[in-house]
Amino acid sequence: MSINKIVFTGAPCSGKTEVLRKLEKYYKDKIDCVFVCKEAASEVKKSRTEFLDMYDFQRAVYEKQIENENKIEEQIKDLADKNVLVFYDRGVCDGYSYVYDENRFFNIIGESRYTSFFRYDTALLFEICYENDYNKSNVRTEDYADALKLQDKIISCYVGHPHLRYIKSAQTFDEKIKRVIEEIDFILQEKEIEKKYLIKYPSYDDLMSYNPFICDISQTYLLSNLGSHRVRERRYKNESIYYETLKVRITPSECYESERIITKEEYYELLKSADPNKNTINKKRCCFLYKGKYFELDLFDFWDDKAFLEVELKNINEAFNLPERIKIIKDVSDDEHYKNNYLAGMKL
């Protein structure tokens, strides 16, 4: 049984709220329990409370968001024997898109943009609609140009989430719904399909042209008879999040993946079962969006001439564009000698 938490975000008039309404009905016939966490900002605006400034307003939105999320947590805590799907109409991270001073906002709410990522297993980022489809409302006051600027801020706030998927705009609402259902159905399979490329070590200018989110990862493999069992510390500035992951490979480029966030104490306890024949892999992960696909570029401390570029797909034949400023050496998706598990066993 599983609980999947998916946050919907995007610019005003990107269709996320309307899509969410349809999906709630669609998945109620397919999943044991479906919950929707309503958009907190709309609720706060409807209260007609007066606020000192945008920071004061976003503080109220944050408090309402936490209240709404806690109510859902109370409902799902006794559903361990059920398959549960939770949709969030925007998340805590969205508040950072509307303020200029990230540190000031952090001091107000006490939760960083980075740690807010991990409230949600997956983030679906909706591209704004086409200009001729854009319309204002009582709670949407931005014109199209302002909405586009806000979209850029939302993207910059969410890039770095470990599981981000970009939902491109579509000519029809039905087409957009279809795209979202394809993404969610794939997520629910708990499979990973990726293309992996060996690349030349990128120059600083080439890498920074993609405005990446950069974090540090320490990855340790554990003794296991089931598959690739590992723990990972993911660090950004002075904050760490810990994971336990089990991968069971189906094909060289596909695997079933079970992943959970663990406590620091659990992480260090699991490290006691580290495979003595494998090194801890240390790398810098650079995450960025390019033409609708989410890329992860890994720089290792034992290579100064090459690196890896990875992209997750819904199917192995899905079309996508490779970043033009990244120099590809070769596709190593099916080569076991370039799996992190293999590299960890080498004398580096």
Side-chain angles (χ1 to χ4, degrees), residues 223-274:
L223 293 167
S224 175
N225 294 319
L226 298 175
S228 177
H229 191 190
R230 73 185 187 208
V231 288
R232 173 184 281 181
E233 179 184 6
R234 195 176 193 264
R235 298 179 300 278
Y236 177 68
K237 296 183 178 179
N238 62 344
E239 298 177 297
S240 289
I241 301 293
Y242 303 91
Y243 284 96
E244 178 186 14
T245 305
L246 177 65
K247 290 188 175 185
V248 179
R249 198 150 291 282
I250 308 165
T251 70
S253 55
E254 297 181 44
C255 64
Y256 285 111
E257 180 179 86
S258 174
E259 185 173 79
R260 70 184 184 105
I261 292 176
I262 58 177
T263 64
K264 182 177 181 179
E265 291 72 25
E266 288 176 306
Y267 172 76
Y268 281 103
E269 186 63 29
L270 285 166
L271 281 180
K272 295 177 182 178
S273 300

Side-chain angles (χ1 to χ4, degrees), residues 33-48:
C33 301
V34 179
F35 297 91
V36 173
C37 188
K38 294 180 181 179
E39 185 179 38
S42 295
E43 292 185 273
V44 172
K45 286 179 180 179
K46 289 175 183 177
S47 73
R48 300 195 180 280

Side-chain angles (χ1 to χ4, degrees), residues 35-298:
F35 297 91
V36 173
C37 188
K38 294 180 181 179
E39 185 179 38
S42 295
E43 292 185 273
V44 172
K45 286 179 180 179
K46 289 175 183 177
S47 73
R48 300 195 180 280
T49 303
E50 292 188 7
F51 299 98
L52 297 174
D53 55 19
M54 181 56 73
Y55 292 89
D56 191 33
F57 172 73
Q58 290 300 331
R59 173 198 54 76
V61 172
Y62 172 80
E63 291 172 353
K64 174 57 72 172
Q65 180 79 29
I66 298 305
E67 178 187 329
N68 291 346
E69 291 191 15
N70 286 343
K71 287 178 181 177
I72 290 176
E73 289 299 317
E74 279 297 309
Q75 294 179 76
I76 67 177
K77 68 181 182 181
D78 297 322
L79 299 175
D81 61 335
K82 304 289 186 181
N83 288 316
V84 178
L85 185 56
V86 187
F87 295 133
Y88 302 81
D89 192 344
R90 296 201 181 280
V92 168
C93 188
D94 285 77
Y96 280 93
S97 306
Y98 289 84
V99 298
Y100 293 101
D101 189 334
E102 186 166 318
N103 291 329
R104 178 182 171 186
F105 190 51
F106 167 72
N107 289 332
I108 291 171
I109 68 171
E111 182 170 352
S112 73
R113 176 171 66 92
Y114 179 65
T115 55
S116 76
F117 287 164
F118 303 96
R119 289 179 168 272
Y120 320 106
D121 300 312
T122 305
L124 296 184
L125 203 165
F126 285 64
E127 184 179 40
I128 194 171
C129 66
Y130 300 118
E131 186 170 7
N132 58 353
D133 295 325
Y134 187 82
N135 59 79
K136 292 185 178 181
S137 70
N138 292 333
V139 295
R140 182 189 302 132
T141 58
E142 302 91 351
D143 61 21
Y144 193 72
D146 288 335
L148 282 174
K149 292 176 183 177
L150 182 55
Q151 175 172 263
D152 289 340
K153 289 196 69 177
I154 291 171
I155 288 172
S156 67
C157 278
Y158 269 93
V159 164
H161 190 289
H163 301 290
L164 176 64
R165 294 179 177 271
Y166 192 72
I167 307 298
K168 284 190 168 186
S169 194
Q171 294 289 345
T172 67
F173 181 70
D174 286 346
E175 185 181 346
K176 176 163 277 192
I177 286 280
K178 180 174 179 292
R179 291 178 184 178
V180 180
I181 288 174
E182 286 175 352
E183 292 287 359
I184 294 174
D185 283 350
F186 181 76
I187 291 164
L188 295 178
Q189 293 179 52
E190 296 187 333
K191 285 175 64 177
E192 179 187 66
I193 300 175
E194 67 178 16
K195 294 289 285 183
K196 186 173 190 176
Y197 298 90
L198 187 68
I199 63 172
K200 290 185 179 179
Y201 199 96
S203 71
Y204 178 81
D205 288 345
D206 285 342
L207 180 58
M208 297 311 291
S209 70
Y210 297 108
N211 192 28
F213 173 92
I214 303 175
C215 63
D216 292 288
I217 291 175
S218 293
Q219 187 165 297
T220 304
Y221 288 90
L222 309 179
L223 293 167
S224 175
N225 294 319
L226 298 175
S228 177
H229 191 190
R230 73 185 187 208
V231 288
R232 173 184 281 181
E233 179 184 6
R234 195 176 193 264
R235 298 179 300 278
Y236 177 68
K237 296 183 178 179
N238 62 344
E239 298 177 297
S240 289
I241 301 293
Y242 303 91
Y243 284 96
E244 178 186 14
T245 305
L246 177 65
K247 290 188 175 185
V248 179
R249 198 150 291 282
I250 308 165
T251 70
S253 55
E254 297 181 44
C255 64
Y256 285 111
E257 180 179 86
S258 174
E259 185 173 79
R260 70 184 184 105
I261 292 176
I262 58 177
T263 64
K264 182 177 181 179
E265 291 72 25
E266 288 176 306
Y267 172 76
Y268 281 103
E269 186 63 29
L270 285 166
L271 281 180
K272 295 177 182 178
S273 300
D275 188 333
N277 296 312
K278 293 186 178 177
N279 304 296
T280 292
I281 296 287
N282 295 303
K283 56 188 176 183
K284 285 193 179 296
R285 170 152 290 176
C286 310
C287 308
F288 59 91
L289 274 173
Y290 180 76
K291 294 190 176 180
K293 295 304 294 181
Y294 193 45
F295 288 89
E296 295 174 338
L297 192 156
D298 287 345

